[in-house]
Amino acid sequence: METIELSGIIGLIGIACLAANFIVGFIIWKNLLIKLPYNLTFLGLHKFTGYSAAIAIVVHIILIPLDPKSKFSWSDLLLPLWTEHQPYANTFGALALYLIAVVVISSYFKNKIKLPLWRMLHFTSYFAAVPLIIHSVWTDPKLEDRAIDWFDAEKLFVLLCCLVIIGLTFYRFLIIKKRSASN
């Protein structure tokens, strides 16, 4: 297995963890009475899926320049607009990384930040979803600049995760607001 393929697989794990994180966050927000086994809590699960996503994303990124076929340098990871392969898709990925980093770092320091500021920073995750989805759908995992293969199993998995994120975001901010405005 090539390093770039491993990076892609870990990227898939990262987006799966983010989709799971959105699901768990939704359960917390709705205060659903679901009992977890083994004294697990939804807050603990939310932290686990969030940090797992962050770790997977960082590993995904670190592996890319290690593959000589990628032609990525370490500086390309921070400013990918000038990369040889898929500069726009990679720029969206970098933007998603920066926004997710804000969420993870602010969550780590939650006890030292005032709650309204932390909540505002935490909502950055919804804005991070947009460039993440664009990056995930647009990127050719083999870096061969091929057209999007909408029936590729990996791409379908990405689309499913993106659908979960978009659906929960839509419900959270549009449907609930519409219901509360009409009451």
Side-chain angles (χ1 to χ4, degrees):
M1 178 182 299
E2 294 179 7
T3 309
I4 201 71
E5 287 179 274
L6 181 60
S7 173
I9 291 167
I10 294 172
L12 291 172
I13 292 169
I15 197 164
C17 289
L18 283 173
N21 189 263
F22 268 73
I23 292 168
V24 174
F26 181 81
I27 291 169
I28 292 170
W29 172 71
K30 287 292 284 181
N31 201 20
L32 298 176
L33 298 174
I34 300 172
K35 179 86 170 123
L36 292 174
Y38 307 111
N39 294 324
L40 294 173
T41 65
F42 279 105
L43 183 58
L45 191 57
H46 191 59
K47 288 179 182 180
F48 176 77
T49 56
Y51 289 129
S52 296
I55 290 167
I57 290 167
V58 168
V59 172
H60 163 71
I61 293 166
I62 288 173
L63 288 174
I64 294 170
L66 296 178
D67 191 327
K69 290 180 184 177
S70 74
K71 298 181 183 173
F72 273 74
S73 67
W74 293 102
S75 61
D76 289 337
L77 298 177
L78 299 174
L79 296 168
L81 192 55
W82 295 275
T83 58
E84 184 175 327
H85 298 286
Q86 306 172 83
Y88 298 117
N90 294 323
T91 300
F92 280 111
L95 179 59
L97 168 70
Y98 302 145
L99 294 172
I100 290 169
V102 167
V103 175
V104 171
I105 292 167
S106 67
S107 293
Y108 185 78
F109 292 107
K110 180 182 179 185
N111 295 335
K112 296 178 172 111
I113 300 173
K114 292 183 180 183
L115 186 61
L117 174 61
W118 173 81
R119 187 168 282 141
M120 183 182 71
L121 293 171
H122 201 70
F123 280 144
T124 305
S125 63
Y126 293 99
F127 296 105
V130 174
L132 174 75
I133 290 167
I134 293 169
H135 169 76
S136 301
V137 170
W138 200 357
T139 303
D140 174 13
K142 294 189 182 219
L143 295 178
E144 295 172 354
D145 303 321
R146 300 173 298 172
I148 297 171
D149 180 1
W150 296 102
F151 297 104
D152 176 65
E154 292 172 356
K155 204 58 76 177
L156 290 172
F157 178 76
V158 164
L159 291 170
L160 176 65
C161 291
C162 294
L163 184 64
V164 166
I165 292 168
I166 291 168
L168 292 175
T169 301
F170 182 77
Y171 182 83
R172 169 90 157 87
F173 290 104
L174 296 177
I175 293 176
I176 292 300
K177 286 204 179 228
K178 192 180 277 188
R179 283 186 189 162
S180 61
S182 64
N183 289 337

